[in-house]
Amino acid sequence: MLTGFFESKQGKWLLLGGLTVCLLLVPKFVTDIYILSILNMMIIYSILCMGLNLILGFTGLLSLGHAAFFGIGAYTTAILMTRYGFGFLSAFFASAVLAMLAGIVIALPTRKVRGDYFCLITLAFGEIFRLVATAWIEFTRGAMGIVRIPMPKIFGIPIVTETHFYYLGLGILIFTYLTLKAITDTRYGRAFIAIREDELAADTMGINTSLYKIMAFSIGCLFAGMAGSFLAVYQTVVTPSNFRLEESCLMIIMVIVGGMGRNLLAPLAGVVVLTVATEVFRSTAEYRMLIIGLIMILVLLLRPQGIFGSSSFKS
Amino acid sequence: MPILDTRDITKQFGGLIAVNQISMTVNKNEIVGIIGPNGAGKTSFINALTGIYKPSSGQVHFKGKEITGLPAYKIAKHGISRTFQNLRVFSNISVLENVMIGAHCRIDNPFHHIFLRPFRSKRIEHQAYEKVIVLLKNVGLEEKKESLAKNLSYGEQRILEICRALASDPELLILDEPCAGMNSAEMDTLADFVKKLRDEGQTIVVIEHNMRFMMAVSDRIIVMTEGAKFREGTPAEIRNDLEVQKVYLGEQEVE
């Protein structure tokens, strides 16, 4: 009976409201800086994975370069704030827009190339971004990264402590969720799913598949840009090593383990599981990836649709 | 004036001429059947009409407008909707969402309205939902609206695909081998359904192998062989045409 209630519309919103209140109250009970910093990293990955889910889970495009859009957001904020005296909000906005524009440019070839080839383009773009960030020393300071990114201020309120960042991040996360929810509840969300399911059939249903693929991809990148901007002010340092292929793969694993598709919050389960696993096994250094791989294999064997996924869609 | 008018449609793949100068018309409120042996180019012809292939030459006019070579999604917006020979429902999503996707191009909900006029956007989406529910009730799939399409029986999936095509309020509905894999009971139900659609004012083109089905539903039949139009006539004329029988049953005259 209880599950029935939580599946109704009011029940769902009540559940989400309750969850939000709990999340808002977390810093009241958790004062440990280390735990808060892990929560903040989870928030960053959650924003990234929600965006990636739109690309991968809804539209079925495999992007191996999501970290590059994350990086574009981070570098934009870092450069604008350290060198051009931008405030956080304007830099944040610019980061999101720039990441989205980059997303549009990268997604343009989907008009001609499909599937595996598109995946290779994103892979190449991710590597190009990392190499440029490493090699263009005058602009990005190379491997040293951009340091001393100023403390962000929002309407005059300085964001300093882990708790402040927690609330800022949570705000961005909730914004991400509500925006994606609004989009995916309309014909646009359904069109993305139709493309994943059968592109030719989607086309004959009157869906401009090229346009919608670009839309889904660039919206996903927009949120990656926001996450990047947040990362820049949170870490106060950005280096190319934040945006390697491993990061892109980790995001994909998080989305798959959590569950792709309709349920926008499902990927967050993957974020929690993998972030906790990464922290717990931090001491094992290189073997960490081995353990992450193992977790993924186990989840895929036991629950192919992901922890909270509704249905596995590769039959 | 015919609703669909094709003039000398040709489709070549390299040296192979799959469709050779086919001219045909479809009048409003009529069921036109296209038959022919395997490889006669029926599906290629339909693909050239619906924008999946670009015709090599020839023209397609629909409701007096030329639509030759337009991309498939634009042709769908003009009002031609189709199903596929090898069943292409969206298997991993609900029956309801399948049909909602069919209504996609008739939901007047511009992207910026989602944020700038959210109440209008919600209302438009809800109107579409209610229309789809009516459609599902008509075909008897309403109770299964939440099931995944892949969990439906084969016959139901066929009906679902037609339903999805109907959701876009097409002025011309093209059915590509709708009976493939159906048993004869399912086939009779489908024939009744197609005739009912026609009686409600729908214009339909059907490609099908099954002669019993075609004789039952068609107002006019076009026979294709080797990419070209071979005969055209009423079901009775086609049935009694010895040449057609020869093409259909193969060259098996007794010497």
Side-chain angles (χ1 to χ4, degrees):
Chain A
M1 201 187 87
L2 208 58
T3 49
F5 173 70
F6 284 124
E7 270 163 20
S8 74
K9 213 170 180 181
Q10 296 89 337
K12 264 183 190 160
W13 283 110
L14 197 74
L15 199 66
L16 280 178
L19 193 67
T20 314
V21 172
C22 290
L23 286 173
L24 284 172
L25 289 176
V26 161
K28 288 265 174 278
F29 303 103
V30 180
T31 43
D32 189 308
I33 300 283
Y34 170 67
I35 298 204
L36 274 174
S37 73
I38 293 174
L39 286 176
N40 283 338
M41 283 318 286
M42 281 187 191
I43 286 175
I44 292 175
Y45 277 110
S46 297
I47 299 166
L48 285 164
C49 289
M50 271 199 202
L52 186 61
N53 184 33
L54 190 73
I55 300 171
L56 177 66
F58 275 79
T59 321
L61 298 168
L62 184 56
S63 170
L64 283 173
H66 211 56
F69 300 99
F70 181 38
I72 287 173
Y75 270 94
T76 306
T77 295
I79 289 170
L80 288 178
M81 284 180 75
T82 50
R83 290 184 208 156
Y84 299 98
F86 272 60
F88 173 65
L89 279 184
S90 46
F92 179 75
F93 186 72
S95 300
V97 170
L98 211 66
M100 185 180 75
L101 290 178
I104 292 175
V105 172
I106 296 307
L108 276 176
T110 50
R111 282 148 46 89
K112 292 274 179 238
V113 298
R114 50 192 72 218
D116 318 350
Y117 296 96
F118 177 71
C119 178
L120 286 180
I121 289 176
T122 61
L123 176 69
F125 177 71
E127 279 305 285
I128 290 169
F129 173 81
R130 194 183 57 80
L131 288 173
V132 168
T134 316
W136 193 2
I137 294 176
E138 305 93 89
F139 193 57
T140 64
R141 299 191 1 109
M144 293 173 292
I146 295 173
V147 293
R148 282 201 291 275
I149 298 164
M151 173 183 73
K153 273 189 185 162
I154 292 174
F155 304 122
I157 306 161
I159 311 289
V160 196
T161 63
E162 288 285 346
T163 311
H164 293 164
F165 277 107
Y166 176 81
Y167 283 123
L168 175 62
L170 200 60
I172 302 171
L173 182 63
I174 291 171
F175 173 77
T176 307
Y177 173 75
L178 292 177
T179 311
L180 286 175
K181 176 89 179 128
I183 295 173
T184 53
D185 274 354
T186 64
R187 69 185 188 126
Y188 296 91
R190 290 192 298 269
F192 297 148
I193 291 178
I195 292 171
R196 174 194 83 200
E197 288 289 303
D198 189 328
E199 199 173 330
L200 183 70
D203 222 337
T204 56
M205 293 297 109
I207 295 165
N208 184 347
T209 49
S210 321
L211 178 72
Y212 278 77
K213 279 192 278 185
I214 294 170
M215 256 169 82
F217 193 81
S218 55
I219 293 170
C221 293
L222 176 97
F223 292 110
M226 289 185 182
S229 178
F230 180 74
L231 178 87
V233 289
Y234 173 61
Q235 285 192 336
T236 71
V237 179
V238 290
T239 62
S241 65
N242 288 122
F243 314 110
R244 291 165 307 170
L245 176 63
E246 284 93 322
E247 299 298 315
S248 297
C249 292
L250 185 63
M251 292 174 211
I252 291 172
I253 295 171
M254 284 170 169
V255 174
I256 293 175
V257 166
M260 295 189 273
R262 253 292 173 227
N263 188 350
L264 291 173
L265 293 175
L268 307 200
V271 172
V272 173
V273 168
L274 283 150
T275 317
V276 169
T278 318
E279 286 306 318
V280 170
F281 299 110
R282 189 166 280 290
S283 55
T284 59
E286 290 94 82
Y287 295 107
R288 215 168 61 192
M289 277 324 265
L290 196 75
I291 291 157
I292 288 176
L294 206 66
I295 290 176
M296 194 173 86
I297 291 170
L298 276 178
V299 169
L300 292 186
L301 281 178
L302 300 174
R303 260 189 90 74
Q305 68 272 48
I307 299 172
F308 283 119
S310 43
S311 95
S312 60
F313 33 79
K314 293 284 183 290
S315 53
Chain B
M1 199 182 71
I3 184 167
L4 178 79
D5 182 6
T6 77
R7 294 169 202 160
D8 297 328
I9 292 289
T10 300
K11 177 68 200 172
Q12 266 180 288
F13 296 102
L16 177 82
I17 301 173
V19 181
N20 193 1
Q21 298 197 316
I22 294 209
S23 299
M24 70 173 275
T25 58
V26 178
N27 297 313
K28 206 164 168 43
N29 211 351
E30 169 182 51
I31 300 180
V32 176
I34 301 177
I35 61 173
N38 279 328
K42 305 179 297 286
T43 296
S44 298
F45 172 60
I46 293 307
N47 285 348
L49 282 187
T50 51
I52 291 177
Y53 301 149
K54 238 185 162 113
S56 311
S57 65
Q59 288 146 17
V60 186
H61 290 259
F62 183 64
K63 292 190 290 172
K65 274 184 234 139
E66 184 169 357
I67 57 164
T68 324
L70 288 181
Y73 75 93
K74 281 191 180 157
I75 289 182
K77 272 182 204 157
H78 272 96
I80 301 183
S81 199
R82 66 170 290 176
T83 65
F84 294 88
Q85 189 175 358
N86 42 353
L87 198 63
R88 301 186 88 126
V89 293
F90 303 121
S91 354
N92 303 300
I93 56 178
S94 70
V95 167
L96 177 69
E97 282 206 296
N98 262 279
V99 185
M100 288 291 277
I101 290 167
H104 179 87
C105 59
R106 300 291 174 248
I107 303 177
D108 173 31
N109 187 8
F111 191 70
H112 60 274
H113 279 187
I114 300 173
F115 306 105
L116 301 180
R117 301 182 62 184
F119 293 107
R120 180 190 181 275
S121 166
K122 280 235 165 63
R123 197 182 68 233
I124 297 280
E125 291 286 338
H126 192 74
Q127 282 168 1
Y129 168 80
E130 283 177 341
K131 257 181 80 178
V132 164
I133 290 291
V134 171
L135 199 55
L136 283 173
K137 263 189 191 139
N138 282 344
V139 298
L141 281 176
E142 202 238 349
E143 280 146 47
K144 300 199 171 170
K145 66 176 194 283
E146 297 299 337
S147 343
L148 297 184
K150 65 178 169 197
N151 295 340
L152 259 51
S153 76
Y154 187 78
E156 283 171 330
Q157 291 193 32
R158 284 271 171 202
I159 295 287
L160 172 63
E161 203 188 18
I162 298 175
C163 198
R164 183 182 71 182
L166 285 172
S168 66
D169 290 331
E171 284 179 64
L172 173 64
L173 175 67
I174 301 178
L175 306 175
D176 192 352
E177 298 204 15
C179 307
M182 277 190 176
N183 61 37
S184 62
E186 287 173 323
M187 216 182 289
D188 290 340
T189 318
L190 185 67
D192 290 340
F193 179 61
V194 170
K195 279 190 278 190
K196 197 180 112 206
L197 286 177
R198 192 253 331 262
D199 296 340
E200 288 164 2
Q202 186 71 55
T203 311
I204 302 169
V205 170
V206 197
I207 298 180
E208 184 49 64
H209 270 301
N210 189 285
M211 291 305 266
R212 193 164 73 111
F213 181 82
M214 285 310 247
M215 293 299 156
V217 302
S218 309
D219 297 315
R220 189 151 55 88
I221 289 181
I222 289 168
V223 186
M224 279 180 75
T225 130
E226 289 165 12
K229 187 155 111 182
F230 181 70
R231 278 286 187 284
E232 181 170 348
T234 63
E237 283 166 13
I238 297 296
R239 183 173 19 209
N240 298 323
D241 191 313
L242 289 173
E243 291 285 314
V244 170
Q245 286 175 11
K246 210 159 91 187
V247 164
Y248 229 79
L249 303 174
E251 313 285 333
Q252 53 168 17
E253 297 131 281
V254 184
E255 298 291 318

